[in-house]
Amino acid sequence: MTSLELLAPAKNLECGMAAIDNGADAVYIGAERYGARAAAGNSLADIEELCSYAHQFKAKVYVTVNTIVYDHELDDTRQLIADLADIGVDAILVQDMSLVGKSRVPLHASTQTDNRTLEKVKWLGERGFRRVVLARELSADEIAHIHREVPDVELEVFVHGALCVSYSGVCYASQHCFQRSANRGECAQFCRMPFSLVDANGTEIIRKRHLLSLKDMCQIDNLKRLVEAGAVSFKIEGRLKDATYVKNVVAAYSQQLNRIVEQSGGRYRRASLGRVEYRFTPNLNKTFNRGFTTYFLEGRQPDIFSPDTPKAMGEYVGKVKEMSRQSFNVSGTAAFANGDGLCFINAQRELEGFRVNRAEGNRLFPQHMPSHLRPGMALYRNSDVAFEKLLSGKSAERHIPLRMRYVETDEGFCLRCWVEELGDVQMGGTPYAEQFVRLPKEAAKSPQRNQILRQITKLGNTPFACDDADVVGDADRWFVPATVLATMRRNLVDQLLALFAQDMQQQRHNNLAESTTVAKGKNPADATGRLSWNPYYEHYPYLYNISNKKAKAFYGQQGLSLLLPAFELSNRNEGNRTDDSPRLLMQCRHCLRFSLGYCVKRGGKRPEWKEPLSLELSDRQRFRLEFDCKQCQMNVYDK
């Protein structure tokens, strides 16, 4: 039986606990430093508390230490990893190869390691990575191919949230323009900026649009396809998002994953324990999004980018019907509330937003009447006051179902339980946990059945809930003090939690043992001293992101001969421009030729412009585009 894991983001402890409550099987969270979201760091104490909370449900906590590391940070990073191991985290996501083999916790290869090919995934598996987080750009067929060829490596895939336009780990635009490294968790959102598209003659083809800004990924209707392709972990993007985002998205995907499990005939199960009861109906359209795309799941698709705005538009709520000086009507069935945030695309193809001051049915009175709003324009709600209020409190309850039996023994009494989700629910089978008490038997003046059941099922402040309880035979004819029954129940809960903790620790140990069994074989580099993941690595060896002496030594042991420093450490980047050749800043599967309808290979119009094309910022900085049709990708250069 294959375990399926819903993996949720945790900006902080609150978000992590909310993710678990709403159905996540695992969460990923940043430590105080060295995570690829520098603005989302957390203390060891908070991470330890999150581990304790998650492990009650056999859910896992992964910590991101997935930046490149400089020489002066190596000792500090290793100490951080040791500290994380001490507090019981289940795995650590890394990018920097200097950290391989330095952990007492299993390592996962972050998507920042540019995991887009079978060769790369196989190489990572042979270096000891039990799990690889695949590039967002891969199709279901590509994922299935990788799984068939490397079945022992767990595959983690993104299913929801913001999309980087460049393959992760090989985006240097932010560092080039703003001295803020994406590989150091300081991305400046270069791809969300407005660009003009200019040809080789200087002709402006498109003026100031968000040509690199992608819609958000949404694979909720394709989860089964990804499961069948061999993915086992389904990752929600959003380590900078708040708890309401986490609650809504996790709930939607958890319910969908449950349906897949229920319909699988026993092939799949959830990776953690617990049944969730929701106090709301999840709706992905009501949470931050730039519009949704399935990206490349079924190959190259049109309409994956959002050129009008990089901001959230939210759910479509209708069209402007009739306008007066201070208000307007909306055609449609949506209900509105005072304080709702609405937006629209104006005639200049720019996003405008406003706040509803008062709602009277479908007649809305804005705080300030938008000057560019016109009848017939489509309206979107990007802030739903009623929905946000619903999610601001306790949105779900998660409990692990138990079956309990109270029985008489020769020397006293025993309370036994079976954990339904662990498979052994036959009352005649071995219980998962049990508590005995030696007690002289004193006949009760009246049957004790109701008193016994009431006491043993008081599980309200625990992660458990009793689905079925019974008193076996004549065990209720004996008097047992309520305090004794309560002690048996508390001890049983403590025993269950201790057993869960032991199981989690043993699983971490097993995973680590498997990870350290590195495959032996020929030197992975070819005769020219290259590692054959991507032909561009030969021409731009900074793509290896070698930022410290340990990483350099690691790649040298792999037979790599081009041991040059990371982009962030190059002389040119520091202002000493000894090499004036163009440098690759991004590699994108998103292709403007295709998205604008000019990919001749796929039936598009033949362009009339003169290439090469360039993207131009408002400050006149230009970035040359190269369309590599053999690789079916678009490259962005600094000149």
Side-chain angles (χ1 to χ4, degrees):
M1 185 181 294
T2 302
S3 293
L4 305 179
E5 176 186 275
L6 179 61
L7 177 56
K11 176 182 180 180
N12 50 34
L13 174 61
E14 177 197 4
C15 289
M17 295 174 73
I20 299 299
D21 287 344
N22 283 269
D25 300 295
V27 296
Y28 63 105
I29 187 169
E32 291 177 313
R33 53 204 181 279
Y34 310 130
R37 297 290 185 275
N42 293 274
S43 68
L44 286 171
D46 279 356
I47 296 173
E48 183 174 22
E49 185 175 346
L50 180 57
C51 287
S52 297
Y53 190 77
H55 290 171
Q56 296 179 104
F57 300 96
K58 287 199 169 185
K60 296 179 179 178
V61 176
Y62 307 140
V63 178
T64 56
V65 186
N66 58 339
T67 65
I68 57 173
V69 179
Y70 295 153
D71 277 317
H72 71 276
E73 298 168 331
L74 281 170
D75 290 342
D76 194 28
T77 308
R78 288 174 184 159
Q79 184 59 54
L80 172 63
I81 290 175
D83 292 341
L84 291 169
D86 289 341
I87 64 175
V89 304
D90 299 286
I92 297 174
L93 286 87
V94 302
Q95 173 186 189
D96 200 301
M97 291 298 136
S98 67
L99 304 178
V100 174
K102 307 298 182 185
S103 173
R104 291 181 282 115
V105 180
L107 298 182
H108 294 176
S110 168
T111 190
Q112 292 293 121
T113 52
D114 186 17
N115 309 321
R116 64 177 108 166
T117 65
L118 167 63
E119 291 77 15
K120 185 62 174 290
V121 175
K122 184 177 181 181
W123 181 84
L124 288 166
E126 291 174 345
R127 308 281 81 70
F129 286 96
R130 178 178 175 81
R131 177 182 293 188
V132 172
V133 187
L134 295 178
R136 296 168 177 84
E137 291 82 357
L138 297 189
S139 69
D141 288 342
E142 288 169 321
I143 295 168
H145 175 63
I146 291 171
H147 174 63
R148 283 193 301 270
E149 297 298 319
V150 197
D152 294 333
V153 175
E154 293 180 356
L155 301 181
E156 181 178 307
V157 296
F158 285 90
V159 293
H160 195 90
L163 287 165
C164 300
V165 72
S166 177
Y167 284 98
S168 293
V170 295
C171 179
Y172 308 99
S174 184
Q175 174 69 31
H176 172 75
C177 292
F178 311 109
Q179 297 297 296
R180 290 174 55 179
S181 168
N183 282 315
R184 298 275 294 167
E186 299 171 340
C187 173
Q189 302 285 297
F190 174 86
C191 60
R192 304 296 180 189
M193 299 175 75
F195 296 94
S196 295
L197 185 65
V198 181
D199 76 359
N201 293 326
T203 303
E204 190 174 71
I205 301 164
I206 294 176
R207 179 171 176 77
K208 290 187 179 179
R209 297 191 72 196
H210 301 275
L211 298 173
L212 297 181
S213 183
L214 301 179
K215 293 182 176 181
D216 286 3
M217 179 185 281
C218 180
Q219 304 289 17
I220 194 161
D221 294 327
N222 298 306
L223 274 183
K224 187 176 181 181
R225 181 89 167 89
L226 289 164
V227 169
E228 292 172 344
V232 295
S233 182
F234 308 92
K235 187 171 195 170
I236 297 166
E237 175 70 73
R239 254 194 320 122
L240 297 178
K241 296 293 195 297
D242 61 18
T244 58
Y245 173 94
V246 171
K247 291 176 181 181
N248 185 34
V249 179
V250 167
Y253 277 85
S254 183
Q255 290 179 1
Q256 184 76 335
L257 209 54
N258 283 342
R259 285 188 281 270
I260 293 170
V261 169
E262 290 164 5
Q263 296 167 8
S264 72
R267 291 176 59 202
Y268 306 117
R269 56 152 291 167
R270 293 295 293 271
S272 64
L273 303 178
R275 180 178 59 209
V276 182
E277 295 180 5
Y278 297 98
R279 300 177 183 177
F280 74 106
T281 301
N283 184 339
L284 295 176
N285 291 318
K286 290 182 179 293
T287 297
F288 183 100
N289 69 84
R290 302 174 177 89
F292 289 129
T293 175
T294 59
Y295 209 28
F296 290 94
L297 185 82
E298 298 297 343
R300 188 171 291 282
Q301 303 292 324
D303 198 29
I304 67 171
F305 74 145
S306 180
D308 291 325
T309 177
K311 299 179 181 178
M313 293 184 64
E315 62 174 332
Y316 173 74
V317 291
K319 291 186 177 181
V320 178
K321 187 176 180 182
E322 171 268 328
M323 299 180 64
S324 65
R325 191 167 60 89
Q326 294 181 325
S327 66
F328 62 91
N329 268 344
V330 180
S331 63
T333 59
F336 298 93
N338 298 348
D340 278 354
L342 302 181
C343 61
F344 62 96
I345 300 293
N346 64 27
Q348 287 73 44
R349 303 189 74 170
E350 297 171 338
L351 185 72
E352 285 192 46
F354 61 94
R355 186 73 63 179
V356 176
N357 191 47
R358 187 170 83 255
E360 296 179 358
N362 276 25
R363 178 156 285 276
L364 306 182
F365 296 79
Q367 200 167 22
H368 301 287
M369 195 70 175
S371 59
H372 297 110
L373 191 65
R374 299 288 183 270
M377 284 185 168
L379 280 177
Y380 300 86
R381 175 163 47 197
N382 54 13
S383 179
D384 188 319
V385 169
F387 192 69
E388 290 167 8
K389 183 178 179 181
L390 189 63
L391 288 179
S392 64
K394 187 74 172 176
S395 60
E397 294 277 356
R398 179 171 179 168
H399 291 104
I400 300 169
L402 301 180
R403 294 189 179 185
M404 305 177 75
R405 293 293 183 267
Y406 177 82
V407 302
E408 180 183 355
T409 67
D410 292 340
E411 297 182 339
F413 304 91
C414 179
L415 180 59
R416 295 170 177 158
C417 78
W418 290 258
V419 181
E420 292 191 53
E421 292 174 273
L422 294 178
D424 186 4
V425 296
Q426 299 300 318
M427 292 303 105
T430 304
Y432 192 80
E434 54 188 346
Q435 283 293 312
F436 295 90
V437 61
R438 287 189 175 89
L439 199 67
K441 294 178 180 175
E442 176 186 344
K445 294 180 180 179
S446 60
Q448 299 292 293
R449 178 182 176 81
N450 291 340
Q451 157 80 351
I452 293 168
L453 291 176
R454 185 164 55 250
Q455 286 296 330
I456 67 175
T457 58
K458 284 185 178 179
L459 298 167
N461 293 323
T462 76
F464 305 103
C466 184
D467 268 13
D468 174 46
D470 199 8
V471 179
V472 178
D474 297 328
D476 62 342
R477 63 179 171 149
W478 306 110
F479 172 74
V480 177
T483 54
V484 172
L485 294 170
T487 298
M488 294 176 73
R489 181 195 70 236
R490 285 194 296 269
N491 290 344
L492 187 74
V493 168
D494 290 343
Q495 183 186 3
L496 281 171
L497 294 176
L499 288 169
F500 285 2
Q502 289 173 19
D503 288 349
M504 299 289 287
Q505 186 176 15
Q506 185 61 48
Q507 188 173 355
R508 285 194 297 275
H509 176 77
N510 293 342
N511 290 347
L512 185 60
E514 291 179 22
S515 298
T516 54
T517 307
V518 179
K520 304 296 182 182
K522 65 179 183 178
N523 194 309
D526 63 20
T528 65
R530 296 178 301 171
L531 291 163
S532 58
W533 310 322
N534 178 337
Y536 286 85
Y537 278 58
E538 177 186 4
H539 303 290
Y540 304 98
Y542 56 78
L543 293 172
Y544 290 103
N545 293 327
I546 299 173
S547 59
N548 59 69
K549 59 187 177 184
K550 295 293 184 182
K552 184 176 181 179
F554 174 88
Y555 278 110
Q557 292 167 1
Q558 308 304 308
L560 184 66
S561 60
L562 298 169
L563 297 170
L564 298 182
F567 187 96
E568 289 81 354
L569 296 175
S570 67
N571 289 334
R572 180 174 165 187
N573 192 57
E574 295 169 354
N576 182 12
R577 293 176 175 264
T578 57
D579 176 10
D580 200 40
S581 61
R583 294 198 302 175
L584 180 65
L585 299 181
M586 285 181 167
Q587 288 195 304
C588 314
R589 205 163 194 177
H590 167 51
C591 174
L592 282 173
R593 260 195 199 162
F594 177 82
S595 292
L596 298 174
Y598 292 98
C599 177
V600 177
K601 288 181 65 175
R602 296 176 181 268
K605 297 177 288 186
R606 186 169 296 279
E608 296 179 359
W609 59 61
K610 182 178 179 181
E611 294 191 7
L613 301 181
S614 296
L615 294 173
E616 184 178 271
L617 288 172
S618 57
D619 64 2
R620 298 295 187 183
Q621 281 192 83
R622 285 193 180 184
F623 305 89
R624 179 172 59 86
L625 301 180
E626 174 189 62
F627 300 100
D628 183 344
C629 295
K630 183 177 180 181
Q631 300 290 330
C632 201
Q633 69 184 26
M634 180 178 74
N635 298 319
V636 182
Y637 293 86
D638 62 350
K639 59 177 66 178

